[in-house]
Amino acid sequence: MKPPAKMSKPTSLFVIFFSLFVMSEAVFEDQVGKFDWRQQYVGKTLFAHFDSHSQSSKKLFLATDKNIFASFNSRTGELFWRHVDKAGPEGTIDILLLHGQDALMVVGGGRLLRSWDTNMGGLNWEAVLDTGSFQAACFVAMQDTVKHVAVLKKAAISLHYLTNGHQKWVENLPDSDTVQYQAVYSGGEEEVYVLGVVPNSHLTIIAYSLEDGEIIKQRSVEAPWLSSVESSCVVVGHGVLMCVDTATLALYALPIQSLDLEVSPGFQPVLVSSQPHPARSPISEFFLQLGPDHHVLLQLNADGYTIAPLRDFQPAFLVSFSTTGEKTVAAVMTPKNETVKKKKNVACAINLFSADSGRRLLDTTVIFPLDLNGGKPFKLYVHAFLKKDDSVGYRVLVQTQDHALTFIQQPGRVVWTREEALADVVTMEMVDLPLTGTQAELEGEFGKKADGLFPMVLKRLSSQVILLQAWLAHLWKLFYEARKPHGQVKNEVTIETLSRDEFNLQKMMVMVTASGKLFGIDSKSGSILWKHYLENVQPNAVFKLIVQRTTAHFPHPPQCTLLIKDKDTGLASLHVFNPIFGRKSHIAPPALPRPILQSLLLPVIDQDYAKVLLLVDDQYKVTAFPSTKNVLQQLQEMASSIFFYLIRSDQGNLSGFRLRKDLSTERIWEVVLPTEVQKIVAVNGKRPNEHVHSQGRVMGDRSVLYKYLNPNLLAVVTESTDAHPERAFVGVFLVDGVTGRIIHEAVQRKARGPVHFVHSENWVVYEYWNTKSRRNEFSVLELFEGTELYNSTVFSSLDRPHLPQVLQQTYIFPSPITTMEATLTEKGITSRHLLVGLPSGAILSLPKMFLDPRRPEVVTEHSREENLIPYAPEMPIRTEWFINYNQTVARVKGIYTAPSGLESTCLVVAYGLDIYQTRVYPSKQFDVLKDDYDYVLISSVLFALFFATMISKRLAQVKLLNRAWR
Amino acid sequence: MWLHVRLSEVCLFLQAMFILACCFSDMESGPIATSGSVQPNGDRFKIEGRAIVPGVKTQDWISSARVTVEGEEYIGFLGTDGSFVVNDVPSGSYVVEVISPGYKFGAVRVDITSKGKMRARLVNFIKTSEVIRQPYPLQLRSSGPRTYLMKRETWGWTDFLMNPMVMMMVLPLLIIVLLPKVVNTNDPEMRKEMEQSMNMLNPNPELPDVSEFMTKLFSGSKSSSSKAIGGSKASGRPAVKRRWCQNITCTSGLRNYCNWSCHGNYNAIFKKSFFIRLYNCFLSRVFFPSSEIQVCK
C-alpha cells in the first residue's frame, strides 16, 4: 500500500526512458488552436469601473462574485489580465475603488487591503487589516489630492496611505456594541465622517481628524424611522445626508421635508447619488427610485434645505450618473415601446440627461435590442467622455439578471456581449448533431428491409448521384468563395446549417449553469447557438441533465430533460427541451409533489424512442417519465430486474431497492457505515455508455487474466470524521448495487480528503492527501476474476460465487489535483488515459499504464513482454502531457469526456471558470491519416519507383538485345 | 506522533534559551500543525519571497502568474517587481509554488513553526524529512519557458542521408562495389590473404578460433602428399567455406540472406558472395555486440 521510501536510480531512469518512447500524448505545434478553443469568464459582476485615467483608454475593470479582479478590453470584450483569488469567503471582494492607475480592493470580509497597478496587472502592495467584519471604505483627499483610504470595520476605523498601504492611524469606534456603523464619508475637508445607526432610535455621526484620528465632533440625531444607513441614506451636495423614510416616504435632509411622491406598494425606495471626485463634495442632484421602473431626478437647492424635483422618469429600468471633466450626466434606460412586449426581444433606449438641469442632451439616444429571455436589466455602468466638439459621448455596459454583460456604443451598436453565467457550469452533456437530408437518405438505405435486387441497385445509384451533386456543389462553393476577398468569407455556424460531420467530431454541448441559464454551444467553434434562461431557479438548486432521446431517431426530435431540485426542500421540477434548438418541448412533464431522492434512466424505450426516466420520491414511490401505457406495460414486465440504490449520507446509510410491478419498491439490502466514525463522501457507478473491448489481459506466460467487469459495481468513498492527522483515514468500498455485497474494502490510514476518484472498467483510481508525509497519493485498485471466467457469456450479480482478486498499488503524485476523469472512446479499444485537472489550470493526460497495480518492482522477462513499466514511487508530470498547453483553465471543476465517431478520438471539455474544448488521441490517431502525413514524400517515392522500373526495363531490354547479338 | 510533537513543544517551551538553536529539529518528525486547520491560539504568518524570470520584463509575465501555497489553500499575487507576500498563513509545512503558464518555477517547501520561525527547503516527496536548505525569503528563479508542444518530425534529404544507419549501409555498399575493381580477386594469393583477414575479423568465442584453424590448415597441408595438393586444395576450399558460413554471424534481420548464402553453391557464387560475406561480417560487427550474435544454422 505504501510506496517504498527508497527508489533505485536505474528504475527511475528506466521509467523516464520508457516514458519517452511510450508516450504519444502531446500537442504538436501546428495543432494549436486547430480543434481546441478556450473561453475565459469571470462571473457575476459586483463592481465595474471604466478607466477614466486617460481619454482613449480601453480598459474596463471588473470585480466579480467569483473573487476575480479582471481587466477587459472594452472594445473587444477580451481579457487583458485576470487575477483569480481563492474561492469562498476568504477571497471575496468587498469593495473595488479606482483612483488613477491604482485599484484598491478590500478582500475576504476585511481581511486584506490590496492595491493593484492596473497598467501592468501587478500588485502594488498588500496590507493585512485588523480583524473585524468589513463595512465600508472610501478614498480620503487632502487639499485636492487623494493620499489615503479609510476602511470602516464593525468596531474600528483605520486610515492607510495609498502609496504603500501602511496604516496611518486606527481608532476604535465608540459604543460599537450598540451602534451599527455602516458608512464612511469624506468630502475633501480635513475630516472623515463615520455614520452609524441604532435601528429605530437614532443616527450617530462622528467626525475624525485626518491627521491623528482624534474625534473632532460627535453628534446624534433622533431617527426612529431609520433602520439602516446603507440602504436608505446618501450624502448629497455639501455634506447633507439624505435619507428616505420607507414608511411615510419623507426625505430627510435633517430638516424633514415630505415630498408628494407615490411609491409602489411593497417596494423599498432607493437613493442614488454620485461623488465624481473624492476631493470634492457629491453633486447636489440625486435619483430616487420609487418603483421597479419609476425613477425621479431630484435636486437639493443651494440653501441646503429644499428639494426640487427635476424630472420624472416612468418607465425607466435603470439610471446611472457619470462624470466627465466638469460635466455630470445622468443616463436613463427606458423600454422603447410597450406594445411589442409579447415578442422575445424588446428594444431599449438609453438617453443622457444633464444632471444639473434635467434636460435631455441631443443626439445621445442609443437604441438596442434587449433579450428579455435573459432576465431584466440589472445594472447600468456608463462611461461618459467629452468629444472634440465638447459634447458628451458615452459608452454603456448593461448587466442583466442572467449575469450577461452587453457593451453598447453610440449609435446603438452592441459591441460585445459576454455570457458570464458560463463561469459557473454545473453539468453538461454532448449531443450528436442531426444528419443532413442527404446523410439521412444514405442511412435510410440500410435501415429498410430489402425489397429486391433491382430497386436496391437503383436506390444505391440515386444516393450516389445525390452525393456527387453535393460534392460538386461544395466544390463550386469553394471556387466561388476563393474569388472573394478573404475577409468577406464568413463561415458562421447557425442552427440551420448544423449537421453531423463525417466522424461525428462536432457535437452540441448543452451546458447548465448555476444561475439557471442553459446554453447550446457548438463544440467545433465554441459559438453559442442558443440560450435559455430559466427564471425562477433557486440559487441553491442542484441540476441533473439527462439525454432521453438522441438525434438517431429521426423524425422524432432529440430530447433532453433537466431535473432541477431544490437542495433544501428536495422538491424537483423537470424542464424538457430539444438540445439542438434549445426550445422547450411541448411534452408536459409529470407533476412532482413530493421530494425526489433518486433518478435513474432505464435502457427501456417507449414507442417514440425516448428512454424512460424513473424518479423515486421520499415515500419510495416511483414516477415514470414518459408514462405512456406502453412504458408502464414494459415496466411491469421487467420490474423484477430493475434495481436502484439510495444514499443517505447524513445517516451513513446505503440501501438497495427493487421495483415492484405496481411501481412501488421493496428494500432488499442495506449497508450502514456508522456516521460517528466515517461519512460517505461520494458514490460512483460506472458510466453507462462505456464499452470494454477486451475481457482480459494477456500475461507474459500467454495465460489470460480475466477482468472482473461488474456493471452494477458501486465505488463508495468515505472519510473519517476524526480530522486529526494521525487518526484520519479514507475508506473505499466496492459494493455490488444489486445484491449489496461488499466486494472489496480498502482503508488508507493517515489520509484525508478531498478524495477524487474515477471508477471505470475493472478499476478504481483515487487520490487523497497523505497527512503523515504531507503529499498527494494516487492509489489504483484493479479487480480480476482470475485466469478463468465463471460465466463468460453474461454477467449476473446474483450468480458470482467467487470474490474477485484485487490488486492495489499506490504512487506519489507531486501536485494537488482539482478533478479527475477518464477518457472514453466509441468501442473501448483505445488505451485509457486519466485526465487530471491541476490547480495551476493545466489538464494532465496521464496514461492509465502508469496506474497499473501489476507494475513490477523487479523487471522480469514476463513483465517486459507485457510492457509493464517498472514500479517507481513518484508519478511523473511532464508539461508535454498537458493537453491544454498554455491555455490554462482556472478552477477546473469538471472534465467531460465523450466518444466521437472515430475510435481513436475522445472529445474533452474541461469547465470551471473557463471552458476548454479539445480532442485527445490516447493511442495516437491510428484510424485516420495523421495531420503530418507526408503526401509529397509518398507520391514522389511512388513516382520515382515507377520511373525507375520503366528505365530499368528499357535498359534490360537493351542488354538482352546486345547479348543476343553477341 | 502527535503526542511526541506536543511534548517536544513543551520541551521547547521549557528550554526557551535554546529555541533558536533547536526549534527546527522536531520538524523532522512530523508537522506541527496540518495545513488548513487553524490552531486555536495560533498566529498567522506570512511567506515572503521574490520570483525572477531572467531576461524577461516583469510586466510581461506577472499579470498571469500567482503564488500558490499547498495547492490553492493560500494564494498570493506578484508585485510589480516580482516580489510576493502570502499573508494569513498558520504554522505548518507548505509547498510554495509560483504558477505561470509561460515559465517554469521550482517548488519550495516552507516550514513555519508555531513561533513563526521560517525555513525553506527543497521539496522531496519521497524522503519527506530530508532537509536541503533554500534561502529564505524565497528566491525563485525561473528555469526558462515551459515547453508544451512537440515539434513535428520533418523529412529532408539531408536528414535522411546523414542518418548514421543510412551512412552505415551506404559506405559498405560503396566498398562492395568499388573493392573488386581496385583489388584483383582472381589472384589466389590475394584471395587467401583476404580469407585470413576475414577470419581475423571474427573472433567468435563459440567457434574454433583462428589459431586452431590455422594449425589445422597447416598440419593438413603438411601431412598430405604432394600429389594430393591439388585435391586438398579442391577439398580444402569447401571446408574453409563451410567454416566461413558458420563464421558468418547474423541476427534475425539478416537471417534470410545469411541462409541463402549458406545454402548457395559456393564455388559458383564465390566471387560475389565473398564480398557479400565480407559486408555481412562487417555489418554484424558494427551493429550487433557479440552477446547478441547468433550463428545461423
Side-chain angles (χ1 to χ4, degrees):
Chain A
M1 291 245 192
K2 217 167 55 172
K6 65 175 181 341
M7 177 176 77
S8 56
K9 201 116 196 186
T11 329
S12 73
L13 276 177
F14 189 79
V15 169
I16 292 163
F17 175 78
F18 210 84
S19 59
L20 279 173
F21 279 88
V22 171
M23 293 312 92
S24 55
E25 190 63 32
V27 184
F28 288 105
E29 267 180 355
D30 54 313
Q31 286 180 322
V32 167
K34 203 171 168 187
F35 45 74
D36 63 319
W37 50 262
R38 176 179 67 164
Q39 288 170 359
Q40 290 186 303
Y41 294 98
V42 292
K44 179 192 172 188
T45 306
L46 298 179
F47 307 98
H49 289 283
F50 287 94
D51 185 12
S52 48
H53 189 234
S54 70
Q55 196 68 262
S56 58
S57 174
K58 293 179 197 164
K59 287 192 188 115
L60 166 67
F61 304 107
L62 296 183
T64 70
D65 68 335
K66 298 259 174 263
N67 309 347
I68 287 159
F69 177 46
S71 167
F72 284 92
N73 183 341
S74 65
R75 305 291 193 275
T76 60
E78 279 161 16
L79 275 172
F80 281 126
W81 45 258
R82 176 178 74 171
H83 288 293
V84 182
D85 205 347
K86 198 181 169 184
E90 276 184 62
T92 47
I93 297 168
D94 298 316
I95 198 164
L96 173 68
L97 300 167
L98 201 68
H99 177 255
Q101 285 223 341
D102 297 343
L104 233 78
M105 242 163 63
V106 178
V107 179
R111 199 168 58 94
L112 297 168
L113 183 67
R114 276 192 191 134
S115 167
W116 297 94
D117 184 321
T118 55
N119 213 13
M120 278 166 71
L123 197 66
N124 283 329
W125 46 262
E126 185 176 281
V128 185
L129 298 174
D130 294 336
T131 49
S133 71
F134 172 80
Q135 295 295 332
C138 78
F139 283 121
V140 180
M142 209 184 201
Q143 284 119 27
D144 256 24
T145 48
V146 183
K147 280 183 180 163
H148 304 97
V149 60
V151 179
L152 179 73
K153 297 267 192 124
K154 205 168 167 51
I157 177 169
S158 59
L159 202 72
H160 297 260
Y161 291 99
L162 268 188
T163 46
N164 53 15
H166 291 176
Q167 202 173 57
K168 190 172 183 182
W169 48 261
V170 59
E171 289 296 324
N172 282 328
L173 296 165
D175 307 323
S176 59
D177 43 348
T178 53
V179 186
Q180 295 174 9
Y181 293 96
Q182 285 172 334
V184 60
Y185 162 78
S186 164
E189 302 95 10
E190 304 272 298
E191 290 157 351
V192 182
Y193 295 90
V194 175
L195 307 176
V197 65
V198 178
N200 306 321
S201 167
H202 63 273
L203 187 74
T204 309
I205 303 165
I206 307 170
Y208 283 93
S209 158
L210 195 61
E211 276 309 312
D212 48 7
E214 240 178 272
I215 295 176
I216 299 172
K217 282 181 282 197
Q218 187 168 3
R219 202 182 149 182
S220 136
V221 181
E222 283 299 312
W225 39 268
L226 190 68
S227 58
S228 164
V229 176
E230 227 173 354
S231 62
S232 49
C233 288
V234 289
V235 179
V236 174
H238 292 281
V240 179
L241 183 70
M242 191 70 63
C243 295
V244 60
D245 179 1
T246 49
T248 60
L249 197 86
L251 276 176
Y252 294 90
L254 298 187
I256 299 152
Q257 185 184 7
S258 193
L259 279 172
D260 205 11
L261 295 166
E262 199 180 319
V263 69
S264 313
F267 185 78
Q268 163 98 31
V270 178
L271 284 165
V272 180
S273 74
S274 165
Q275 185 180 16
H277 194 272
R280 259 155 266 155
S281 339
I283 56 165
S284 50
E285 290 79 23
F286 58 98
F287 273 109
L288 174 63
Q289 190 181 2
L290 294 166
D293 50 3
H294 186 197
H295 290 80
V296 188
L297 181 64
L298 300 164
Q299 188 178 35
L300 182 75
N301 288 340
D303 57 9
Y305 292 104
T306 51
I307 299 160
L310 284 178
R311 197 168 178 133
D312 192 13
F313 297 103
Q314 190 175 23
F317 287 145
L318 294 169
V319 291
S320 176
F321 283 109
S322 179
T323 304
T324 171
E326 293 301 308
K327 284 186 186 171
T328 299
V329 289
V332 179
M333 183 175 166
T334 51
K336 189 64 185 156
N337 18 5
E338 287 285 296
T339 49
V340 287
K341 214 167 185 177
K342 272 174 274 170
K343 277 193 181 172
K344 227 179 159 186
N345 287 332
V346 167
C348 274
I350 295 174
N351 283 296
L352 278 196
F353 295 86
S354 160
D356 42 352
S357 63
R359 269 182 294 123
R360 194 168 78 85
L361 298 175
L362 290 176
D363 297 330
T364 55
T365 310
V366 163
I367 296 168
F368 67 97
L370 183 78
D371 187 7
L372 270 193
N373 184 23
K376 281 202 164 166
F378 181 71
K379 212 158 182 190
L380 198 65
Y381 303 94
V382 182
H383 179 218
F385 53 89
L386 283 177
K387 287 186 191 165
K388 277 183 191 137
D389 58 352
D390 220 32
S391 63
V392 180
Y394 70 110
R395 303 183 187 97
V396 182
L397 185 70
V398 183
Q399 186 186 1
T400 43
Q401 267 181 334
D402 60 347
H403 308 171
L405 293 176
T406 312
F407 190 77
I408 301 151
Q409 218 172 13
Q410 276 175 305
R413 195 162 69 85
V414 174
V415 186
W416 49 263
T417 306
R418 287 182 68 88
E419 292 290 350
E420 289 300 340
L422 283 171
D424 201 352
V425 174
V426 182
T427 177
M428 68 165 291
E429 283 290 340
M430 268 184 160
V431 185
D432 293 351
L433 292 175
L435 296 167
T436 56
T438 47
Q439 282 171 330
E441 178 83 11
L442 282 178
E443 294 286 328
E445 188 185 330
F446 302 108
K448 283 167 200 156
K449 287 267 188 313
D451 41 8
L453 187 68
F454 192 63
M456 286 283 277
V457 171
L458 270 186
K459 206 180 274 171
R460 163 43 59 107
L461 282 179
S462 70
S463 55
Q464 297 286 6
V465 168
I466 290 169
L467 273 186
L468 187 72
Q469 262 181 349
W471 187 65
L472 285 177
H474 176 71
L475 278 189
W476 170 248
K477 201 179 156 202
L478 277 183
F479 174 70
Y480 191 73
E481 275 176 358
R483 295 192 308 175
K484 278 191 196 168
H486 194 72
Q488 283 184 13
V489 184
K490 272 185 185 170
N491 267 335
E492 271 193 17
V493 192
T494 56
I495 286 182
E496 285 72 33
T497 60
L498 270 187
S499 64
R500 199 179 299 180
D501 60 332
E502 274 172 298
F503 299 127
N504 200 4
L505 290 167
Q506 188 180 5
K507 295 198 181 193
M508 177 66 85
M509 292 158 55
V510 181
M511 302 198 114
V512 183
T513 63
S515 61
K517 196 166 186 182
L518 312 182
F519 291 90
I521 300 176
D522 171 34
S523 78
K524 195 178 180 186
S525 62
S527 51
I528 296 168
L529 297 178
W530 58 263
K531 44 200 169 190
H532 185 90
Y533 183 55
L534 303 169
E535 288 213 18
N536 35 30
V537 167
Q538 303 298 318
N540 60 348
V542 283
F543 300 90
K544 190 173 178 185
L545 185 63
I546 301 135
V547 183
Q548 281 198 291
R549 184 166 53 219
T550 61
T551 33
H553 306 286
F554 188 80
H556 298 289
Q559 182 183 325
C560 270
T561 302
L562 181 69
L563 178 69
I564 308 154
K565 188 172 137 182
D566 193 296
K567 217 173 192 170
D568 298 333
T569 60
L571 288 173
S573 62
L574 293 177
H575 173 70
V576 187
F577 62 100
N578 179 335
I580 304 296
F581 301 105
R583 280 195 291 264
K584 196 174 178 191
S585 170
H586 52 83
I587 300 166
L592 303 166
R594 298 214 59 87
I596 296 298
L597 296 180
Q598 174 72 293
S599 69
L600 60 157
L601 190 69
L602 296 183
V604 183
I605 52 170
D606 72 347
Q607 69 272 28
D608 290 340
Y609 304 101
K611 283 184 184 165
V612 177
L613 179 71
L614 290 188
L615 299 161
V616 186
D617 63 19
D618 62 343
Q619 291 178 330
Y620 308 114
K621 281 274 190 319
V622 172
T623 314
F625 172 70
S627 56
T628 55
K629 218 173 182 181
N630 176 305
V631 170
L632 294 176
Q633 196 186 341
Q634 282 192 60
L635 279 180
Q636 271 186 9
E637 280 167 21
M638 55 188 304
S640 59
S641 64
I642 296 173
F643 297 87
F644 60 91
Y645 66 93
L646 290 177
I647 318 144
R648 285 280 174 97
S649 60
D650 53 331
Q651 294 163 14
N653 184 321
L654 190 71
S655 44
F657 291 83
R658 181 159 68 172
L659 198 67
R660 284 211 196 109
K661 282 201 189 323
D662 58 343
L663 292 191
S664 63
T665 56
E666 59 179 327
R667 182 185 300 224
I668 47 176
W669 58 267
E670 192 175 29
V671 174
V672 179
L673 301 162
T675 46
E676 306 87 65
V677 183
Q678 55 192 338
K679 58 178 186 292
I680 299 173
V681 183
V683 178
N684 219 339
K686 289 175 192 175
R687 287 177 66 163
N689 56 346
E690 176 184 276
H691 292 271
V692 181
H693 181 71
S694 58
Q695 288 283 309
R697 287 184 58 165
V698 182
M699 295 196 293
D701 58 356
R702 298 288 180 273
S703 62
V704 177
L705 194 59
Y706 287 99
K707 294 174 182 170
Y708 179 76
L709 297 169
N710 184 348
N712 311 317
L713 198 66
L714 299 174
V716 182
V717 174
T718 64
E719 275 178 40
S720 63
T721 43
D722 191 350
H724 189 272
E726 286 297 306
R727 294 187 295 269
F729 65 88
V730 165
V732 175
F733 297 86
L734 300 179
V735 182
D736 189 302
V738 171
T739 58
R741 186 179 187 189
I742 295 178
I743 305 287
H744 182 68
E745 194 179 333
V747 171
Q748 214 79 43
R749 302 214 173 274
K750 289 174 190 165
R752 66 169 168 82
V755 180
H756 302 272
F757 70 110
V758 176
H759 181 199
S760 177
E761 279 187 48
N762 65 328
W763 47 264
V764 179
V765 171
Y766 58 97
E767 185 263 4
Y768 56 89
W769 170 258
N770 184 329
T771 53
K772 188 176 176 241
S773 308
R774 288 172 303 210
R775 63 191 178 203
N776 288 283
E777 288 179 3
F778 261 80
S779 195
V780 57
L781 284 171
E782 260 185 50
L783 286 82
F784 292 100
E785 292 230 345
T787 47
E788 270 173 39
L789 266 183
Y790 177 71
N791 179 351
S792 59
T793 49
V794 68
F795 188 96
S796 167
S797 288
L798 303 168
D799 181 30
R800 281 278 140 161
H802 309 296
L803 278 179
Q805 301 169 5
V806 182
L807 302 176
Q808 181 166 23
Q809 228 170 41
T810 301
Y811 317 87
I812 301 163
F813 194 69
S815 165
I817 76 167
T818 53
T819 185
M820 187 155 69
E821 187 54 83
T823 59
L824 192 68
T825 52
E826 181 93 9
K827 298 276 177 247
I829 300 167
T830 309
S831 59
R832 309 291 295 271
H833 277 208
L834 284 175
L835 301 172
V836 183
L838 305 178
S840 64
I843 295 159
L844 178 77
S845 178
L846 189 69
K848 173 68 179 55
M849 212 172 168
F850 277 97
L851 292 155
D852 185 344
R854 301 189 61 249
R855 280 174 69 174
E857 277 186 53
V858 182
V859 186
T860 61
E861 194 70 33
H862 286 321
S863 67
R864 203 180 290 154
E865 186 105 3
E866 265 188 87
N867 267 341
L868 292 174
I869 311 167
Y871 181 80
E874 194 166 344
M875 197 80 76
I877 295 184
R878 286 157 47 99
T879 48
E880 283 90 343
W881 297 350
F882 292 170
I883 57 170
N884 57 342
Y885 44 107
N886 64 356
Q887 306 286 298
T888 52
V889 186
R891 289 200 202 135
V892 194
K893 199 163 63 180
I895 296 173
Y896 179 87
T897 52
S900 71
L902 283 176
E903 171 55 33
S904 65
T905 311
C906 169
L907 304 176
V908 176
V909 181
Y911 55 88
L913 205 54
D914 306 337
I915 298 171
Y916 181 77
Q917 190 275 145
T918 190
R919 300 172 195 164
V920 291
Y921 313 99
S923 304
K924 286 192 175 178
Q925 286 172 285
F926 57 81
D927 47 5
V928 277
L929 287 183
K930 279 183 203 116
D931 289 340
D932 63 339
Y933 188 77
D934 206 334
Y935 294 94
V936 178
L937 178 70
I938 293 288
S939 45
S940 62
V941 165
L942 267 177
F943 278 114
L945 282 174
F946 178 71
F947 285 117
T949 37
M950 297 288 280
I951 291 162
S952 55
K953 195 177 169 191
R954 176 79 193 136
L955 287 175
Q957 277 176 346
V958 169
K959 202 175 178 182
L960 273 177
L961 194 66
N962 285 344
R963 196 179 288 169
W965 274 109
R966 203 180 283 159
Chain B
M1 187 72 87
W2 183 79
L3 253 180
H4 172 69
V5 173
R6 287 284 133 183
L7 279 175
S8 61
E9 259 181 57
V10 172
C11 285
L12 282 173
F13 179 69
L14 292 172
Q15 302 174 340
M17 292 297 284
F18 298 103
I19 277 176
L20 281 177
C22 64
C23 63
F24 282 124
S25 61
D26 65 329
M27 287 300 296
E28 315 300 334
S29 58
I32 279 185
T34 55
S35 55
S37 66
V38 184
Q39 281 198 320
N41 56 352
D43 287 317
R44 296 287 186 130
F45 307 102
K46 61 182 179 184
I47 298 171
E48 288 174 293
R50 194 185 155 104
I52 307 150
V53 181
V56 180
K57 283 186 202 154
T58 45
Q59 65 248 42
D60 295 340
W61 65 277
I62 51 162
S63 63
S64 59
R66 57 180 186 158
V67 183
T68 58
V69 178
E70 209 63 62
E72 282 184 304
E73 206 87 55
Y74 306 97
I75 288 173
F77 296 98
L78 289 149
T80 44
D81 57 346
S83 61
F84 62 85
V85 178
V86 185
N87 283 304
D88 262 5
V89 183
S91 59
S93 175
Y94 308 95
V95 175
V96 180
E97 251 179 303
V98 174
I99 290 179
S100 158
Y103 301 95
K104 272 187 285 199
F105 285 95
V108 178
R109 185 176 281 281
V110 174
D111 302 320
I112 310 172
T113 61
S114 53
K115 301 279 185 303
K117 198 143 170 57
M118 317 285 276
R119 175 182 69 175
R121 55 183 168 120
L122 275 186
V123 177
N124 189 339
F125 285 116
I126 296 168
K127 285 181 204 156
T128 47
S129 55
E130 189 188 53
V131 180
I132 300 170
R133 291 292 283 258
Q134 295 288 103
Y136 187 88
L138 303 172
Q139 291 288 326
L140 300 169
R141 180 175 275 269
S142 167
S143 54
R146 284 172 181 257
T147 50
Y148 295 107
L149 305 172
M150 293 217 306
K151 270 225 165 86
R152 286 268 190 213
E153 281 177 19
T154 50
W155 199 88
W157 286 103
T158 45
D159 294 346
F160 178 72
L161 287 177
M162 300 316 267
N163 189 340
M165 296 296 263
V166 173
M167 295 278 271
M168 278 181 194
M169 298 289 277
V170 167
L171 281 176
L173 211 77
L174 284 176
I175 294 169
I176 290 170
V177 176
L178 292 178
L179 217 63
K181 296 198 172 148
V182 178
V183 189
N184 186 8
T185 46
N186 286 331
D187 181 13
E189 272 181 30
M190 175 68 87
R191 201 181 290 160
K192 201 178 235 172
E193 209 172 277
M194 286 183 86
E195 282 167 15
Q196 285 170 11
S197 65
M198 279 294 302
N199 285 334
M200 293 291 278
L201 275 171
N202 262 330
N204 198 321
E206 287 175 27
L207 296 165
D209 60 1
V210 183
S211 57
E212 195 187 338
F213 166 74
M214 291 302 274
T215 49
K216 257 189 188 171
L217 196 78
F218 283 118
S219 63
S221 61
K222 257 180 196 169
S223 63
S224 63
S225 59
S226 60
K227 64 164 180 160
I229 284 175
S232 79
K233 253 189 187 170
S235 64
R237 195 171 289 147
V240 170
K241 261 165 251 152
R242 209 165 297 124
R243 177 70 45 74
W244 266 14
C245 175
Q246 283 171 351
N247 281 355
I248 292 164
T249 57
C250 56
T251 58
S252 55
L254 291 166
R255 190 171 290 165
N256 288 338
Y257 178 63
C258 185
N259 280 346
W260 169 78
S261 60
C262 286
H263 292 298
N265 182 346
Y266 301 106
N267 283 328
I269 59 161
F270 177 70
K271 208 170 130 187
K272 273 180 190 163
S273 65
F274 169 79
F275 288 105
I276 288 166
R277 269 182 242 144
L278 183 80
Y279 175 48
N280 253 352
C281 290
F282 175 70
L283 281 186
S284 59
R285 282 293 95 193
V286 170
F287 289 135
F288 310 105
S290 56
S291 63
E292 287 200 314
I293 284 176
Q294 296 171 320
V295 180
C296 66
K297 294 291 281 179

